[in-house]
Amino acid sequence: MEATHIGMGTVMAHAAYGPNAQAALQAVTHEARRLEQLLSRFVPDSDVAAINRTAGMARQTVSTETLAVLTQAQALSALCGGAFDITVAPLVDLWDVQHATAPPAAARIRRAAALVDYRDLTLCQNTFEAMLRRPGQALDLGGIGKGYASDAFMRLLMSMGITSAYANLGGNVSTLGARPDGAPWRVGIRHPRGDGLLCAVEMIGQAVVTSGDYERFFIDRRGKRYHHILDPRAGRPAAKGLISATVVAPEAMAADALSTALLASGMEAGLDWFSQYGAAQAILIDERLNLYCSKGLGGCLQTVAGVKPILI
Ligand code: ADP
Ligand code: MG
């Protein structure tokens, strides 16, 4: 049984199997709407919009759930040394890759980049308050929200007795258990420069989340590509050699943040911190279309003819 709808700016396609599947999928569709209201900075009465509105001025009381998401996001930012940073909004708005046709001026990039620092988000676990330290700072959960949502969907499906399901949020895939016939799920990873797939990974009960420079981007009149994953320190689209980064992990939220962070970090710096995060595996593609894959994934990765993964 399947359900498809639009949410969080993407197409969401879910499937669940078993007697309660129809009700469960309906609940997931509702949950998607609820989470968008909670976490989108574009919904004026969301917790996130409230924090952004009073940046540098006042604390906001937020829900337990918002506080938990922000706390985990901040921990993930610390893990990767700020390559993933939920205070990236000033840069996201400045670059506006959906509409821009040329990069912004260097002085504006410097000003916006100076506002980005996840350590300026103050969270109080006792009073449920959150605040950004400086005016002009703002949160953007675009790099982690879909991951959080898919984890929430899996929990919801499980609570309704479902043992076999998946959620696909615009290419971010989460799975619950195995396929109805007991076989592993097979998730394809797109060729970053062509049509179709470059490889596929087989697994049970894991999330597979990809960040790529081909998802949202513009090309300027010199032919240079500017994509939507920003290197917070440089203040511009990440250009560290990777064009696609996939993380396979039990939790989609971590996989979402860490795949964005790997793309922003590049392979060398990225593998440094990634190796400290035990529960996840990576599949990386560089500009020359070399395919790198964590040793632990070896047996689960299938590639198209001629592509041989390099183990990392
Ligand atoms: P997608 O949402 O396309 O699957 P990502 O999960 O990589 O891709 O998230 C990209 C989005 O996250 C951007 O559109 C932007 O809103 C936000 N973002 C961009 N760069 C960063 C970053 N370095 N850290 C955190 N969020 C980012
Ligand atoms: Mg992400």
Side-chain angles (χ1 to χ4, degrees):
M1 173 125 242
E2 291 174 24
T4 307
H5 59 98
I6 303 285
M8 298 186 164
T10 193
V11 178
M12 297 192 178
H14 318 292
Y17 304 90
N20 211 9
Q22 190 171 1
L25 287 175
Q26 209 159 19
V28 165
T29 308
H30 281 286
E31 178 73 347
R33 233 172 281 139
R34 185 185 73 82
L35 290 177
E36 186 156 11
Q37 296 297 312
L38 186 78
L39 301 176
S40 169
R41 67 181 169 118
F42 303 111
V43 172
D45 57 1
S46 72
D47 282 348
V48 171
I51 295 168
N52 289 352
R53 239 184 341 260
T54 58
M57 295 186 301
R59 297 171 180 215
Q60 288 288 343
T61 305
V62 298
S63 69
T64 337
E65 198 172 4
T66 304
L67 190 67
V69 174
L70 297 179
T71 304
Q72 208 176 329
Q74 210 170 29
L76 289 162
S77 293
L79 174 86
C80 64
F84 170 82
D85 191 319
I86 50 167
T87 65
V88 75
L91 279 173
V92 173
D93 291 344
L94 178 67
W95 279 88
D96 189 18
V97 298
Q98 312 262 70
H99 306 103
T101 53
R108 298 185 68 196
I109 293 177
R110 274 196 300 277
R111 269 201 302 279
L115 290 168
V116 179
D117 191 338
Y118 68 93
R119 290 165 298 192
D120 286 338
L121 174 64
T122 308
L123 299 173
C124 184
Q125 306 291 336
N126 300 324
T127 58
F128 296 98
E129 286 175 319
M131 179 176 166
L132 285 161
R133 206 160 63 82
R134 293 178 283 149
Q137 292 190 305
L139 301 175
D140 175 347
L141 300 191
I144 199 170
K146 280 183 276 174
Y148 177 75
S150 10
D151 286 336
F153 298 164
M154 294 304 117
R155 282 193 295 268
L156 182 61
L157 289 166
M158 220 172 0
S159 76
M160 295 183 74
I162 302 290
T163 54
S164 170
Y166 70 78
N168 181 351
L169 281 58
N172 291 12
V173 178
S174 277
T175 64
L176 183 63
R179 285 169 32 154
D181 63 2
W185 302 99
R186 188 161 180 272
V187 179
I189 294 166
R190 269 183 61 187
H191 190 300
R193 293 292 179 261
D195 296 327
L197 305 179
L198 193 64
C199 58
V201 58
E202 283 197 330
M203 48 75 219
I204 290 173
Q206 305 264 314
V208 182
V209 181
T210 302
S211 285
D213 75 347
Y214 53 87
E215 293 172 317
R216 266 175 284 150
F217 63 88
F218 70 89
I219 298 200
D220 75 358
R221 59 193 166 82
R222 295 200 190 101
K224 190 169 158 50
R225 178 192 293 250
Y226 296 92
H227 62 89
H228 73 310
I229 294 162
L230 302 164
D231 172 348
R233 244 169 252 120
R236 40 180 67 248
K240 296 278 177 65
L242 293 179
I243 60 174
S244 168
T246 299
V247 172
V248 183
E251 305 246 296
M253 185 178 183
D256 196 357
L258 298 183
S259 60
T260 304
L262 280 171
L263 205 96
S265 292
M267 182 118 100
E268 212 183 306
L271 289 182
D272 250 8
W273 57 256
F274 188 75
S275 57
Q276 294 169 32
Y277 189 83
Q281 320 273 348
I283 301 161
L284 306 173
I285 303 168
D286 71 11
E287 286 160 329
R288 276 180 261 154
L289 293 176
N290 290 314
L291 181 75
Y292 303 85
C293 161
S294 295
K295 287 190 199 81
L297 268 184
C300 317
L301 191 77
Q302 300 159 350
T303 56
V304 299
V307 178
K308 232 185 144 208
I310 303 160
L311 294 184
I312 47 175

